[in-house]
Amino acid sequence: VQLQASGGGLVQAGGSLRLSCAASGRTFSSYDMGWFRQSLGKEREFVSAITWTGAGTYYVDSVKGRFTISRDNAKNTVYLQMNSLKPEDTAVYYCAAGGFGQLLEGKSNFWGQGTQVTVSS
């Protein structure tokens, strides 16, 4: 599966953005999906994951209550709605596909190219 992330940009603290990750291939609906981020000088960090049915989700503590992951299997797309953004959310955001446990461990065989999110104070 090939992944294409989009929706990043520059936003003021407290603002919102919605990231999208479009997947090619007919097997998208069989994959659990995740979002990761990497800030300058830091290691890539897990942000959120969603099961292939959409029924199960998981978030890193720092984004709980602010970010929402969702998916539309008919559109082969996974989303990350980001509200109440903080300067520390500034990073390149990547989407990934794989098993749920694999994603929670920060592993995946399929990665999107990344989209930059910058939150100004």
Side-chain angles (χ1 to χ4, degrees), residues 19-101:
L19 305 184
S20 299
C21 176
S24 62
R26 289 175 289 180
T27 60
F28 170 78
S29 61
S30 66
Y31 285 101
D32 299 326
M33 298 293 295
W35 285 97
F36 296 78
R37 65 188 180 186
Q38 187 167 20
S39 303
L40 194 63
K42 295 185 178 180
E43 293 187 352
R44 186 173 58 206
E45 172 191 31
F46 168 84
V47 175
S48 182
I50 187 167
T51 59
W52 67 274
T53 64
T57 58
Y58 190 84
Y59 300 91
V60 68
D61 285 346
S62 60
V63 308
K64 283 181 181 176
R66 301 189 298 122
F67 291 12
T68 303
I69 190 171
S70 62
R71 68 189 295 162
D72 185 339
N73 286 342
K75 296 183 178 179
N76 280 9
T77 303
V78 62
Y79 305 97
L80 186 68
Q81 177 67 45
M82 306 186 295
N83 298 329
S84 302
L85 282 162
K86 304 175 181 180
E88 52 263 43
D89 294 318
T90 295
V92 177
Y93 284 71
Y94 299 89
C95 57
F100 202 76

